[in-house]
Amino acid sequence: MSGFRSLSSGLRALQPAAFGADPSGERLARIRRSPHFKDGVFQNPGGTARTRPSGSMVDFAKVFFDKEQRPRRAPTGTIPVHATTLADIAKPPATGLRLTWMGHSSVLAEIDGHRVLFDPVWGERCSPFSFAGPKRLHPAPLPLAALGPVDVVVISHDHYDHLDLPSIKALAGTDTVFAVPLGVGSHLEHWGVSADRLRELDWHESTRIGGLTLTATPARHFCGRGLRNTQHTLWASWSVAGDEHRIYHSGDTGYFDGFKEIGAQHGPFDATMIQIGAYSDFWPDIHMTPEEGMRAHLDLQGGRPHGAMMPIHWGTFNLATHAWAEPGEWTLAAGEAVGQPVAVPVPGQPFEPGGELPGRPWWRDVSLPLTREWPVPELAPNVAHGAEAEALDLVEES
């Protein structure tokens, strides 16, 4: 048996550092005490979610290698990037709230005098290896070191396109605090983040950092970085509330009824950052289409258009078989159908949700045209009537 233990230890030593570390000790004991942990794994709201592609590999291969659709999965030219400068983000936002989408799910939120960085991914690939895996389609708008001090880094879950080893190692050398779902702290400690800088939360738990209240809220997804997917780290969406503003970051999630509860408890929100990319009929339970993402936003806002909705989790990496530009087009169509303002900045372009929103469909300059009917959500009749009345009131007041 000692020979087998030596072999096992040797194999662990050969694992890439990016695999991170499994929870152990008191952290693992706390995980096992979680009301959301059962039968050795974390459980999804709304029942079991399929985390592997449904259907046959033959069906998937037909879609993946389709000669007509495959060229649409990448831009035809250089993706425009706003070269964010310190001048863009040094002056406090006039409204007290400013968002800068850095690409994919990475967002700098400046809220009521505090700076929150969601899911920072500055690495070239979302992969444990530097030579393989999905590669960035556009550069980061600015070096991570040029971002300036950040009060808190928020991680939604431990997948490579949300928890990036190079980015975490760079931030480990600062004094920022990390807010992470239960179990994810094991990776960060393994990479050099001290335990006293970790705020590790289960769903519905909150932490106070400066003048902000951060709450880990449910999501419908899964976890895993290594060869074995132990489901021992939690995934989450996040509500962040300041003295004057509230924002929401979905992380990765499938659509579920829990958005209504999150909105009732923590909303309405001045801005939401909603995952609307990397969806597929092969994995419908764990990622949202733009139509579902818009429905989620409305649920979070009490059923009616409110605040600004910014689509995330698209444009930077090719992670599914849909057209590269499809999430942007579909989100605009969904927002127009229900009267919901949508912000679609180029990566690196700061904007204030309380002001004029970036709405130009910039991706059309570098993508093949898309012609299809987009499925869109519908407002309930009483909600739609109320929204029309509110719009009429605004016109009369102006």
Side-chain angles (χ1 to χ4, degrees), residues 97 99 107 118 238 246-251 259 262-263 267-276 288 293-302 304 306-312 331 340-343 351 353 357:
L97 176 63
L99 301 180
V107 182
F118 292 95
W238 288 87
R246 293 171 179 265
I247 57 177
Y248 172 86
H249 189 284
S250 72
F259 291 114
I262 295 170
F269 298 97
D270 298 283
T272 67
M273 297 153 273
I274 304 288
Q275 172 264 305
I276 50 78
M288 292 190 291
M294 187 58 65
R295 260 197 287 154
H297 171 87
L298 295 174
D299 288 350
L300 291 162
Q301 307 290 37
R304 65 180 59 219
H306 179 77
M309 185 273 206
M310 181 171 73
I312 59 172
T331 303
Q340 170 59 51
V342 173
F351 72 95
L357 301 183

mmCIF file of all heavy atoms in Angstrom, residues 97 99 107 118 238 246-251 259 262-263 267-276 288 293-302 304 306-312 331 340-343 351 353 357:
data_model
loop_
_atom_site.group_PDB
_atom_site.id
_atom_site.type_symbol
_atom_site.label_atom_id
_atom_site.label_comp_id
_atom_site.label_asym_id
_atom_site.label_seq_id
_atom_site.Cartn_x
_atom_site.Cartn_y
_atom_site.Cartn_z
ATOM 1 N N LEU A 97 -22.023 55.573 -9.297
ATOM 2 C CA LEU A 97 -21.924 54.193 -9.776
ATOM 3 C C LEU A 97 -21.380 54.192 -11.195
ATOM 4 O O LEU A 97 -21.913 54.869 -12.080
ATOM 5 C CB LEU A 97 -23.293 53.508 -9.750
ATOM 6 C CG LEU A 97 -23.356 52.082 -10.318
ATOM 7 C CD1 LEU A 97 -22.487 51.134 -9.492
ATOM 8 C CD2 LEU A 97 -24.807 51.582 -10.356
ATOM 9 N N LEU A 99 -19.514 51.316 -14.129
ATOM 10 C CA LEU A 99 -19.118 49.951 -14.469
ATOM 11 C C LEU A 99 -18.162 49.991 -15.646
ATOM 12 O O LEU A 99 -18.348 50.768 -16.588
ATOM 13 C CB LEU A 99 -20.327 49.092 -14.830
ATOM 14 C CG LEU A 99 -21.435 48.927 -13.785
ATOM 15 C CD1 LEU A 99 -22.553 48.047 -14.343
ATOM 16 C CD2 LEU A 99 -20.894 48.347 -12.491
ATOM 17 N N VAL A 107 -15.554 42.546 -14.491
ATOM 18 C CA VAL A 107 -16.135 43.894 -14.414
ATOM 19 C C VAL A 107 -15.539 44.633 -13.219
ATOM 20 O O VAL A 107 -15.476 44.082 -12.116
ATOM 21 C CB VAL A 107 -17.675 43.844 -14.256
ATOM 22 C CG1 VAL A 107 -18.254 45.270 -14.233
ATOM 23 C CG2 VAL A 107 -18.329 43.028 -15.375
ATOM 24 N N PHE A 118 -15.020 42.033 -10.195
ATOM 25 C CA PHE A 118 -15.671 40.730 -10.335
ATOM 26 C C PHE A 118 -14.896 39.835 -11.302
ATOM 27 O O PHE A 118 -14.509 40.266 -12.394
ATOM 28 C CB PHE A 118 -17.091 40.889 -10.886
ATOM 29 C CG PHE A 118 -18.066 41.557 -9.959
ATOM 30 C CD1 PHE A 118 -18.315 42.916 -10.040
ATOM 31 C CD2 PHE A 118 -18.761 40.819 -9.007
ATOM 32 C CE1 PHE A 118 -19.225 43.535 -9.210
ATOM 33 C CE2 PHE A 118 -19.667 41.422 -8.160
ATOM 34 C CZ PHE A 118 -19.906 42.789 -8.262
ATOM 35 N N TRP A 238 -23.908 37.219 -6.997
ATOM 36 C CA TRP A 238 -23.569 38.155 -5.914
ATOM 37 C C TRP A 238 -24.408 39.423 -5.972
ATOM 38 O O TRP A 238 -24.592 40.017 -7.043
ATOM 39 C CB TRP A 238 -22.086 38.541 -5.991
ATOM 40 C CG TRP A 238 -21.171 37.428 -5.594
ATOM 41 C CD1 TRP A 238 -20.687 36.437 -6.409
ATOM 42 C CD2 TRP A 238 -20.647 37.165 -4.297
ATOM 43 N NE1 TRP A 238 -19.885 35.587 -5.690
ATOM 44 C CE2 TRP A 238 -19.839 36.005 -4.395
ATOM 45 C CE3 TRP A 238 -20.758 37.803 -3.056
ATOM 46 C CZ2 TRP A 238 -19.162 35.464 -3.305
ATOM 47 C CZ3 TRP A 238 -20.096 37.284 -1.969
ATOM 48 C CH2 TRP A 238 -19.304 36.115 -2.089
ATOM 49 N N ARG A 246 -27.277 49.579 -5.573
ATOM 50 C CA ARG A 246 -27.256 48.109 -5.490
ATOM 51 C C ARG A 246 -26.958 47.549 -6.875
ATOM 52 O O ARG A 246 -27.536 47.993 -7.870
ATOM 53 C CB ARG A 246 -28.611 47.559 -5.012
ATOM 54 C CG ARG A 246 -28.961 47.921 -3.579
ATOM 55 C CD ARG A 246 -30.396 47.540 -3.246
ATOM 56 N NE ARG A 246 -30.704 47.868 -1.872
ATOM 57 C CZ ARG A 246 -30.625 47.008 -0.856
ATOM 58 N NH1 ARG A 246 -30.270 45.752 -1.100
ATOM 59 N NH2 ARG A 246 -30.905 47.373 0.363
ATOM 60 N N ILE A 247 -26.071 46.558 -6.935
ATOM 61 C CA ILE A 247 -25.743 45.910 -8.205
ATOM 62 C C ILE A 247 -25.758 44.398 -8.018
ATOM 63 O O ILE A 247 -25.692 43.895 -6.884
ATOM 64 C CB ILE A 247 -24.374 46.363 -8.754
ATOM 65 C CG1 ILE A 247 -23.257 46.084 -7.734
ATOM 66 C CG2 ILE A 247 -24.414 47.836 -9.136
ATOM 67 C CD1 ILE A 247 -21.859 46.443 -8.239
ATOM 68 N N TYR A 248 -25.848 43.691 -9.136
ATOM 69 C CA TYR A 248 -25.933 42.225 -9.104
ATOM 70 C C TYR A 248 -25.076 41.645 -10.214
ATOM 71 O O TYR A 248 -25.098 42.137 -11.345
ATOM 72 C CB TYR A 248 -27.395 41.790 -9.292
ATOM 73 C CG TYR A 248 -27.593 40.304 -9.466
ATOM 74 C CD1 TYR A 248 -27.712 39.467 -8.359
ATOM 75 C CD2 TYR A 248 -27.672 39.733 -10.738
ATOM 76 C CE1 TYR A 248 -27.906 38.094 -8.523
ATOM 77 C CE2 TYR A 248 -27.861 38.368 -10.907
ATOM 78 C CZ TYR A 248 -27.978 37.555 -9.792
ATOM 79 O OH TYR A 248 -28.166 36.202 -9.961
ATOM 80 N N HIS A 249 -24.307 40.614 -9.876
ATOM 81 C CA HIS A 249 -23.473 39.889 -10.842
ATOM 82 C C HIS A 249 -23.914 38.433 -10.809
ATOM 83 O O HIS A 249 -23.905 37.791 -9.759
ATOM 84 C CB HIS A 249 -21.998 40.019 -10.452
ATOM 85 C CG HIS A 249 -21.020 39.491 -11.472
ATOM 86 N ND1 HIS A 249 -20.803 38.143 -11.639
ATOM 87 C CD2 HIS A 249 -20.206 40.133 -12.353
ATOM 88 C CE1 HIS A 249 -19.872 37.980 -12.575
ATOM 89 N NE2 HIS A 249 -19.505 39.163 -13.032
ATOM 90 N N SER A 250 -24.294 37.902 -11.971
ATOM 91 C CA SER A 250 -24.908 36.567 -12.007
ATOM 92 C C SER A 250 -23.912 35.423 -11.902
ATOM 93 O O SER A 250 -24.310 34.286 -11.602
ATOM 94 C CB SER A 250 -25.709 36.400 -13.300
ATOM 95 O OG SER A 250 -24.833 36.268 -14.414
ATOM 96 N N GLY A 251 -22.598 35.687 -12.158
ATOM 97 C CA GLY A 251 -21.706 34.552 -12.348
ATOM 98 C C GLY A 251 -22.226 33.720 -13.511
ATOM 99 O O GLY A 251 -22.811 34.246 -14.457
ATOM 100 N N PHE A 259 -34.388 33.717 -9.078
ATOM 101 C CA PHE A 259 -34.097 35.126 -9.347
ATOM 102 C C PHE A 259 -35.149 36.028 -8.717
ATOM 103 O O PHE A 259 -34.841 37.128 -8.253
ATOM 104 C CB PHE A 259 -34.029 35.376 -10.853
ATOM 105 C CG PHE A 259 -32.850 34.738 -11.526
ATOM 106 C CD1 PHE A 259 -33.022 33.715 -12.446
ATOM 107 C CD2 PHE A 259 -31.554 35.157 -11.241
ATOM 108 C CE1 PHE A 259 -31.939 33.125 -13.079
ATOM 109 C CE2 PHE A 259 -30.458 34.569 -11.858
ATOM 110 C CZ PHE A 259 -30.659 33.544 -12.783
ATOM 111 N N ILE A 262 -34.240 36.413 -5.063
ATOM 112 C CA ILE A 262 -33.067 37.271 -4.905
ATOM 113 C C ILE A 262 -33.462 38.731 -5.062
ATOM 114 O O ILE A 262 -33.049 39.600 -4.280
ATOM 115 C CB ILE A 262 -31.974 36.883 -5.918
ATOM 116 C CG1 ILE A 262 -31.453 35.473 -5.643
ATOM 117 C CG2 ILE A 262 -30.822 37.888 -5.886
ATOM 118 C CD1 ILE A 262 -30.540 34.923 -6.737
ATOM 119 N N GLY A 263 -34.281 39.018 -6.072
ATOM 120 C CA GLY A 263 -34.728 40.383 -6.275
ATOM 121 C C GLY A 263 -35.560 40.904 -5.124
ATOM 122 O O GLY A 263 -35.413 42.062 -4.714
ATOM 123 N N GLY A 267 -33.006 43.350 -4.112
ATOM 124 C CA GLY A 267 -33.211 44.344 -5.157
ATOM 125 C C GLY A 267 -34.181 45.421 -4.720
ATOM 126 O O GLY A 267 -34.525 45.520 -3.539
ATOM 127 N N PRO A 268 -34.667 46.218 -5.683
ATOM 128 C CA PRO A 268 -34.238 46.206 -7.086
ATOM 129 C C PRO A 268 -32.829 46.761 -7.233
ATOM 130 O O PRO A 268 -32.308 47.418 -6.332
ATOM 131 C CB PRO A 268 -35.274 47.095 -7.772
ATOM 132 C CG PRO A 268 -35.731 48.029 -6.695
ATOM 133 C CD PRO A 268 -35.695 47.236 -5.427
ATOM 134 N N PHE A 269 -32.218 46.504 -8.385
ATOM 135 C CA PHE A 269 -30.818 46.846 -8.608
ATOM 136 C C PHE A 269 -30.693 47.998 -9.606
ATOM 137 O O PHE A 269 -31.451 48.092 -10.567
ATOM 138 C CB PHE A 269 -30.063 45.621 -9.139
ATOM 139 C CG PHE A 269 -30.064 44.463 -8.177
ATOM 140 C CD1 PHE A 269 -30.995 43.429 -8.309
ATOM 141 C CD2 PHE A 269 -29.154 44.410 -7.136
ATOM 142 C CE1 PHE A 269 -30.998 42.361 -7.427
ATOM 143 C CE2 PHE A 269 -29.156 43.347 -6.242
ATOM 144 C CZ PHE A 269 -30.078 42.320 -6.377
ATOM 145 N N ASP A 270 -29.707 48.845 -9.358
ATOM 146 C CA ASP A 270 -29.422 49.918 -10.306
ATOM 147 C C ASP A 270 -28.799 49.373 -11.585
ATOM 148 O O ASP A 270 -28.949 49.973 -12.651
ATOM 149 C CB ASP A 270 -28.475 50.937 -9.670
ATOM 150 C CG ASP A 270 -29.103 51.600 -8.454
ATOM 151 O OD1 ASP A 270 -29.948 52.487 -8.638
ATOM 152 O OD2 ASP A 270 -28.761 51.202 -7.322
ATOM 153 N N ALA A 271 -28.114 48.245 -11.462
ATOM 154 C CA ALA A 271 -27.518 47.602 -12.632
ATOM 155 C C ALA A 271 -27.353 46.120 -12.350
ATOM 156 O O ALA A 271 -27.052 45.718 -11.219
ATOM 157 C CB ALA A 271 -26.166 48.221 -12.974
ATOM 158 N N THR A 272 -27.558 45.320 -13.386
ATOM 159 C CA THR A 272 -27.267 43.890 -13.295
ATOM 160 C C THR A 272 -26.262 43.524 -14.373
ATOM 161 O O THR A 272 -26.247 44.118 -15.452
ATOM 162 C CB THR A 272 -28.530 43.028 -13.486
ATOM 163 O OG1 THR A 272 -29.001 43.157 -14.835
ATOM 164 C CG2 THR A 272 -29.624 43.425 -12.513
ATOM 165 N N MET A 273 -25.412 42.570 -14.055
ATOM 166 C CA MET A 273 -24.447 42.006 -14.987
ATOM 167 C C MET A 273 -24.838 40.550 -15.162
ATOM 168 O O MET A 273 -24.690 39.748 -14.237
ATOM 169 C CB MET A 273 -23.028 42.158 -14.426
ATOM 170 C CG MET A 273 -22.592 43.606 -14.261
ATOM 171 S SD MET A 273 -21.345 43.865 -12.950
ATOM 172 C CE MET A 273 -22.419 44.081 -11.503
ATOM 173 N N ILE A 274 -25.381 40.218 -16.322
ATOM 174 C CA ILE A 274 -26.064 38.940 -16.511
ATOM 175 C C ILE A 274 -25.362 38.091 -17.569
ATOM 176 O O ILE A 274 -25.114 38.543 -18.684
ATOM 177 C CB ILE A 274 -27.531 39.150 -16.943
ATOM 178 C CG1 ILE A 274 -28.271 40.030 -15.933
ATOM 179 C CG2 ILE A 274 -28.231 37.817 -17.118
ATOM 180 C CD1 ILE A 274 -28.573 39.366 -14.617
ATOM 181 N N GLN A 275 -25.086 36.824 -17.220
ATOM 182 C CA GLN A 275 -24.469 35.879 -18.152
ATOM 183 C C GLN A 275 -25.453 35.536 -19.261
ATOM 184 O O GLN A 275 -26.546 35.049 -19.008
ATOM 185 C CB GLN A 275 -24.052 34.616 -17.409
ATOM 186 C CG GLN A 275 -23.569 33.477 -18.303
ATOM 187 C CD GLN A 275 -24.669 32.479 -18.613
ATOM 188 O OE1 GLN A 275 -25.283 31.938 -17.718
ATOM 189 N NE2 GLN A 275 -24.927 32.243 -19.896
ATOM 190 N N ILE A 276 -25.039 35.792 -20.525
ATOM 191 C CA ILE A 276 -25.917 35.494 -21.665
ATOM 192 C C ILE A 276 -25.138 34.800 -22.790
ATOM 193 O O ILE A 276 -25.647 34.715 -23.905
ATOM 194 C CB ILE A 276 -26.597 36.770 -22.198
ATOM 195 C CG1 ILE A 276 -25.586 37.898 -22.427
ATOM 196 C CG2 ILE A 276 -27.681 37.252 -21.254
ATOM 197 C CD1 ILE A 276 -24.764 37.821 -23.641
ATOM 198 N N MET A 288 -27.452 30.568 -19.456
ATOM 199 C CA MET A 288 -28.677 31.177 -19.957
ATOM 200 C C MET A 288 -28.507 31.709 -21.370
ATOM 201 O O MET A 288 -27.456 32.249 -21.728
ATOM 202 C CB MET A 288 -29.107 32.333 -19.055
ATOM 203 C CG MET A 288 -29.555 31.904 -17.670
ATOM 204 S SD MET A 288 -30.317 33.246 -16.739
ATOM 205 C CE MET A 288 -28.898 34.318 -16.443
ATOM 206 N N GLY A 293 -31.662 35.346 -19.938
ATOM 207 C CA GLY A 293 -30.965 36.366 -19.172
ATOM 208 C C GLY A 293 -31.819 37.601 -18.960
ATOM 209 O O GLY A 293 -31.814 38.202 -17.880
ATOM 210 N N MET A 294 -32.579 38.002 -19.978
ATOM 211 C CA MET A 294 -33.471 39.146 -19.818
ATOM 212 C C MET A 294 -34.599 38.821 -18.858
ATOM 213 O O MET A 294 -35.012 39.667 -18.048
ATOM 214 C CB MET A 294 -34.028 39.566 -21.184
ATOM 215 C CG MET A 294 -34.832 40.854 -21.152
ATOM 216 S SD MET A 294 -33.896 42.284 -20.503
ATOM 217 C CE MET A 294 -32.638 42.452 -21.777
ATOM 218 N N ARG A 295 -35.113 37.597 -18.935
ATOM 219 C CA ARG A 295 -36.133 37.185 -17.963
ATOM 220 C C ARG A 295 -35.584 37.238 -16.548
ATOM 221 O O ARG A 295 -36.262 37.673 -15.606
ATOM 222 C CB ARG A 295 -36.606 35.759 -18.278
ATOM 223 C CG ARG A 295 -37.920 35.706 -19.037
ATOM 224 C CD ARG A 295 -38.524 34.325 -18.938
ATOM 225 N NE ARG A 295 -37.797 33.355 -19.760
ATOM 226 C CZ ARG A 295 -37.749 32.046 -19.516
ATOM 227 N NH1 ARG A 295 -38.333 31.550 -18.435
ATOM 228 N NH2 ARG A 295 -37.102 31.248 -20.324
ATOM 229 N N ALA A 296 -34.337 36.778 -16.375
ATOM 230 C CA ALA A 296 -33.715 36.816 -15.053
ATOM 231 C C ALA A 296 -33.608 38.256 -14.555
ATOM 232 O O ALA A 296 -33.890 38.549 -13.385
ATOM 233 C CB ALA A 296 -32.331 36.171 -15.109
ATOM 234 N N HIS A 297 -33.188 39.171 -15.438
ATOM 235 C CA HIS A 297 -33.086 40.580 -15.044
ATOM 236 C C HIS A 297 -34.444 41.110 -14.588
ATOM 237 O O HIS A 297 -34.543 41.790 -13.546
ATOM 238 C CB HIS A 297 -32.571 41.423 -16.211
ATOM 239 C CG HIS A 297 -32.646 42.896 -15.949
ATOM 240 N ND1 HIS A 297 -31.647 43.592 -15.315
ATOM 241 C CD2 HIS A 297 -33.623 43.801 -16.210
ATOM 242 C CE1 HIS A 297 -32.001 44.859 -15.195
ATOM 243 N NE2 HIS A 297 -33.195 45.012 -15.743
ATOM 244 N N LEU A 298 -35.502 40.822 -15.345
ATOM 245 C CA LEU A 298 -36.834 41.291 -14.957
ATOM 246 C C LEU A 298 -37.265 40.691 -13.626
ATOM 247 O O LEU A 298 -37.859 41.386 -12.782
ATOM 248 C CB LEU A 298 -37.843 40.940 -16.053
ATOM 249 C CG LEU A 298 -37.639 41.635 -17.405
ATOM 250 C CD1 LEU A 298 -38.609 41.076 -18.438
ATOM 251 C CD2 LEU A 298 -37.788 43.142 -17.285
ATOM 252 N N ASP A 299 -36.974 39.412 -13.422
ATOM 253 C CA ASP A 299 -37.282 38.779 -12.131
ATOM 254 C C ASP A 299 -36.578 39.509 -10.991
ATOM 255 O O ASP A 299 -37.170 39.757 -9.927
ATOM 256 C CB ASP A 299 -36.839 37.317 -12.127
ATOM 257 C CG ASP A 299 -37.702 36.411 -12.986
ATOM 258 O OD1 ASP A 299 -38.773 36.865 -13.449
ATOM 259 O OD2 ASP A 299 -37.299 35.252 -13.207
ATOM 260 N N LEU A 300 -35.312 39.839 -11.201
ATOM 261 C CA LEU A 300 -34.531 40.523 -10.175
ATOM 262 C C LEU A 300 -35.081 41.917 -9.880
ATOM 263 O O LEU A 300 -34.872 42.459 -8.788
ATOM 264 C CB LEU A 300 -33.073 40.641 -10.628
ATOM 265 C CG LEU A 300 -32.277 39.337 -10.696
ATOM 266 C CD1 LEU A 300 -31.038 39.521 -11.562
ATOM 267 C CD2 LEU A 300 -31.878 38.870 -9.291
ATOM 268 N N GLN A 301 -35.789 42.505 -10.837
ATOM 269 C CA GLN A 301 -36.315 43.863 -10.699
ATOM 270 C C GLN A 301 -37.802 43.878 -10.365
ATOM 271 O O GLN A 301 -38.482 44.884 -10.578
ATOM 272 C CB GLN A 301 -36.060 44.652 -11.988
ATOM 273 C CG GLN A 301 -34.614 44.644 -12.460
ATOM 274 C CD GLN A 301 -33.690 45.455 -11.554
ATOM 275 O OE1 GLN A 301 -33.846 45.466 -10.339
ATOM 276 N NE2 GLN A 301 -32.743 46.147 -12.142
ATOM 277 N N GLY A 302 -38.306 42.757 -9.849
ATOM 278 C CA GLY A 302 -39.711 42.728 -9.447
ATOM 279 C C GLY A 302 -40.680 42.562 -10.590
ATOM 280 O O GLY A 302 -41.870 42.855 -10.459
ATOM 281 N N ARG A 304 -40.545 44.010 -13.709
ATOM 282 C CA ARG A 304 -40.711 45.102 -14.669
ATOM 283 C C ARG A 304 -39.360 45.697 -15.028
ATOM 284 O O ARG A 304 -38.387 45.546 -14.285
ATOM 285 C CB ARG A 304 -41.623 46.195 -14.105
ATOM 286 C CG ARG A 304 -41.068 46.925 -12.895
ATOM 287 C CD ARG A 304 -42.042 47.980 -12.414
ATOM 288 N NE ARG A 304 -43.312 47.377 -12.052
ATOM 289 C CZ ARG A 304 -44.489 47.942 -12.304
ATOM 290 N NH1 ARG A 304 -44.534 49.098 -12.946
ATOM 291 N NH2 ARG A 304 -45.600 47.358 -11.940
ATOM 292 N N HIS A 306 -36.262 47.918 -15.181
ATOM 293 C CA HIS A 306 -35.705 48.839 -14.188
ATOM 294 C C HIS A 306 -34.189 48.771 -14.273
ATOM 295 O O HIS A 306 -33.613 47.715 -14.545
ATOM 296 C CB HIS A 306 -36.162 48.459 -12.776
ATOM 297 C CG HIS A 306 -35.609 49.354 -11.705
ATOM 298 N ND1 HIS A 306 -36.102 50.615 -11.458
ATOM 299 C CD2 HIS A 306 -34.588 49.181 -10.827
ATOM 300 C CE1 HIS A 306 -35.412 51.178 -10.479
ATOM 301 N NE2 HIS A 306 -34.479 50.324 -10.078
ATOM 302 N N GLY A 307 -33.518 49.881 -14.016
ATOM 303 C CA GLY A 307 -32.065 49.905 -13.991
ATOM 304 C C GLY A 307 -31.473 49.604 -15.360
ATOM 305 O O GLY A 307 -32.134 49.700 -16.394
ATOM 306 N N ALA A 308 -30.211 49.254 -15.356
ATOM 307 C CA ALA A 308 -29.491 48.906 -16.587
ATOM 308 C C ALA A 308 -29.106 47.442 -16.547
ATOM 309 O O ALA A 308 -28.719 46.920 -15.503
ATOM 310 C CB ALA A 308 -28.247 49.774 -16.738
ATOM 311 N N MET A 309 -29.222 46.773 -17.679
ATOM 312 C CA MET A 309 -28.800 45.383 -17.800
ATOM 313 C C MET A 309 -27.581 45.345 -18.717
ATOM 314 O O MET A 309 -27.625 45.840 -19.838
ATOM 315 C CB MET A 309 -29.931 44.529 -18.370
ATOM 316 C CG MET A 309 -29.626 43.030 -18.420
ATOM 317 S SD MET A 309 -28.790 42.513 -19.924
ATOM 318 C CE MET A 309 -29.281 40.797 -20.031
ATOM 319 N N MET A 310 -26.467 44.780 -18.216
ATOM 320 C CA MET A 310 -25.277 44.623 -19.046
ATOM 321 C C MET A 310 -24.997 43.142 -19.268
ATOM 322 O O MET A 310 -24.807 42.395 -18.300
ATOM 323 C CB MET A 310 -24.054 45.283 -18.397
ATOM 324 C CG MET A 310 -22.796 45.138 -19.270
ATOM 325 S SD MET A 310 -21.387 46.116 -18.704
ATOM 326 C CE MET A 310 -20.884 45.178 -17.255
ATOM 327 N N PRO A 311 -24.977 42.686 -20.523
ATOM 328 C CA PRO A 311 -24.661 41.279 -20.788
ATOM 329 C C PRO A 311 -23.177 41.009 -20.556
ATOM 330 O O PRO A 311 -22.313 41.802 -20.935
ATOM 331 C CB PRO A 311 -25.028 41.112 -22.263
ATOM 332 C CG PRO A 311 -24.914 42.486 -22.848
ATOM 333 C CD PRO A 311 -25.290 43.433 -21.749
ATOM 334 N N ILE A 312 -22.878 39.882 -19.931
ATOM 335 C CA ILE A 312 -21.499 39.452 -19.702
ATOM 336 C C ILE A 312 -21.343 38.003 -20.153
ATOM 337 O O ILE A 312 -22.302 37.367 -20.575
ATOM 338 C CB ILE A 312 -21.068 39.600 -18.225
ATOM 339 C CG1 ILE A 312 -21.977 38.763 -17.310
ATOM 340 C CG2 ILE A 312 -21.077 41.064 -17.800
ATOM 341 C CD1 ILE A 312 -21.496 38.698 -15.852
ATOM 342 N N THR A 331 -29.509 39.891 -27.141
ATOM 343 C CA THR A 331 -29.769 40.675 -25.938
ATOM 344 C C THR A 331 -30.424 42.010 -26.283
ATOM 345 O O THR A 331 -31.360 42.452 -25.605
ATOM 346 C CB THR A 331 -28.472 40.919 -25.145
ATOM 347 O OG1 THR A 331 -27.880 39.656 -24.815
ATOM 348 C CG2 THR A 331 -28.758 41.679 -23.852
ATOM 349 N N GLN A 340 -36.497 47.310 -21.818
ATOM 350 C CA GLN A 340 -35.440 47.322 -20.812
ATOM 351 C C GLN A 340 -34.159 47.925 -21.397
ATOM 352 O O GLN A 340 -33.632 47.419 -22.391
ATOM 353 C CB GLN A 340 -35.148 45.901 -20.309
ATOM 354 C CG GLN A 340 -33.919 45.784 -19.439
ATOM 355 C CD GLN A 340 -33.984 46.659 -18.200
ATOM 356 O OE1 GLN A 340 -34.971 46.626 -17.461
ATOM 357 N NE2 GLN A 340 -32.950 47.454 -17.961
ATOM 358 N N PRO A 341 -33.629 49.005 -20.803
ATOM 359 C CA PRO A 341 -32.353 49.561 -21.269
ATOM 360 C C PRO A 341 -31.212 48.561 -21.120
ATOM 361 O O PRO A 341 -31.057 47.937 -20.060
ATOM 362 C CB PRO A 341 -32.142 50.782 -20.366
ATOM 363 C CG PRO A 341 -33.507 51.141 -19.866
ATOM 364 C CD PRO A 341 -34.237 49.834 -19.740
ATOM 365 N N VAL A 342 -30.429 48.400 -22.184
ATOM 366 C CA VAL A 342 -29.314 47.460 -22.214
ATOM 367 C C VAL A 342 -28.031 48.237 -22.491
ATOM 368 O O VAL A 342 -27.996 49.098 -23.377
ATOM 369 C CB VAL A 342 -29.527 46.378 -23.297
ATOM 370 C CG1 VAL A 342 -28.288 45.501 -23.445
ATOM 371 C CG2 VAL A 342 -30.743 45.524 -22.958
ATOM 372 N N ALA A 343 -26.985 47.939 -21.740
ATOM 373 C CA ALA A 343 -25.667 48.552 -21.945
ATOM 374 C C ALA A 343 -24.763 47.551 -22.638
ATOM 375 O O ALA A 343 -24.556 46.446 -22.125
ATOM 376 C CB ALA A 343 -25.064 48.980 -20.613
ATOM 377 N N PHE A 351 -18.883 53.315 -18.106
ATOM 378 C CA PHE A 351 -20.151 54.031 -18.247
ATOM 379 C C PHE A 351 -20.855 54.051 -16.895
ATOM 380 O O PHE A 351 -20.573 53.242 -16.010
ATOM 381 C CB PHE A 351 -21.052 53.381 -19.306
ATOM 382 C CG PHE A 351 -21.646 52.061 -18.875
ATOM 383 C CD1 PHE A 351 -22.917 51.995 -18.321
ATOM 384 C CD2 PHE A 351 -20.928 50.876 -19.018
ATOM 385 C CE1 PHE A 351 -23.469 50.779 -17.918
ATOM 386 C CE2 PHE A 351 -21.465 49.656 -18.624
ATOM 387 C CZ PHE A 351 -22.741 49.615 -18.073
ATOM 388 N N PRO A 353 -24.457 53.635 -15.113
ATOM 389 C CA PRO A 353 -25.811 53.136 -15.368
ATOM 390 C C PRO A 353 -26.892 54.192 -15.182
ATOM 391 O O PRO A 353 -27.975 54.081 -15.772
ATOM 392 C CB PRO A 353 -25.958 52.003 -14.343
ATOM 393 C CG PRO A 353 -24.561 51.533 -14.113
ATOM 394 C CD PRO A 353 -23.718 52.770 -14.175
ATOM 395 N N LEU A 357 -26.405 55.204 -21.655
ATOM 396 C CA LEU A 357 -25.845 53.865 -21.766
ATOM 397 C C LEU A 357 -25.222 53.656 -23.143
ATOM 398 O O LEU A 357 -25.769 54.109 -24.149
ATOM 399 C CB LEU A 357 -26.923 52.800 -21.539
ATOM 400 C CG LEU A 357 -27.658 52.827 -20.204
ATOM 401 C CD1 LEU A 357 -28.638 51.657 -20.125
ATOM 402 C CD2 LEU A 357 -26.679 52.773 -19.033
#
